Amino acid sequence: QVQLVESGGGLVQAGGSLRLSCAASGRTFSSYDMGWFRQAPGKEREFVASINWSGGSTYYGDSVKGRFTISRDKTKSTVDLQMNSLKPEDTAVYYCATSLTHASSWRTLRRSAINYWGQGTQVTVSS
């Protein structure tokens, strides 16, 4: 069993930065690939970024590539999302997720393939 708790969301002006953190508990955390999705009101849940179990490989959605950076600290069982140059269209609830599916496949991953979800954290970017 893995439990995920996100933190770090909030309100920021366009062009600003936020750092989201996801703390995982459970003995098998290091075996899972990790990542972030987001969902804006009235829209489908969207892939944001993923990272493999070792932290050596990262993948990004097209809309955030070059602005967001995902990282993980296996000693602290955390995965972070550094978000820079934020835009109003980045406004959404951001969800941390884990899966035994390799991080390279998360762009087209079905929700049923996600093993665990966090509760979500709101990010609001004002123009």
Side-chain angles (χ1 to χ4, degrees):
Q1 185 79 9
V2 174
Q3 292 183 325
L4 306 174
V5 179
E6 301 101 333
S7 61
L11 174 64
V12 64
Q13 288 189 330
S17 298
L18 280 176
R19 188 176 183 89
L20 305 183
S21 186
C22 174
S25 61
R27 292 183 300 170
T28 59
F29 168 76
S30 61
S31 301
Y32 287 87
D33 287 8
M34 304 286 296
W36 293 88
F37 290 79
R38 67 186 183 186
Q39 189 165 18
K43 294 189 176 181
E44 295 284 322
R45 194 164 293 193
E46 175 189 18
F47 167 72
V48 175
S50 59
I51 187 167
N52 74 328
W53 68 273
S54 69
S57 298
T58 58
Y59 307 88
Y60 297 93
D62 291 340
S63 61
V64 307
K65 199 173 297 183
R67 300 187 297 122
F68 291 11
T69 302
I70 189 171
S71 60
R72 71 187 292 173
D73 186 334
K74 295 175 69 175
T75 63
K76 297 180 181 178
S77 299
T78 58
V79 59
D80 293 345
L81 185 69
Q82 178 65 42
M83 306 185 294
N84 298 329
S85 303
L86 283 161
K87 305 175 182 180
E89 51 263 44
D90 294 317
T91 295
V93 177
Y94 283 70
Y95 296 92
C96 180
T98 72
S99 176
L100 291 174
T101 301
H102 194 276
S104 60
S105 300
W106 281 40
R107 181 189 296 269
T108 57
L109 195 66
R110 290 180 296 181
R111 289 183 64 170
S112 60
I114 294 295
N115 296 97
Y116 299 98
W117 292 98
Q119 82 286 355
T121 186
Q122 176 70 46
V123 171
T124 303
V125 184
S126 63
S127 57

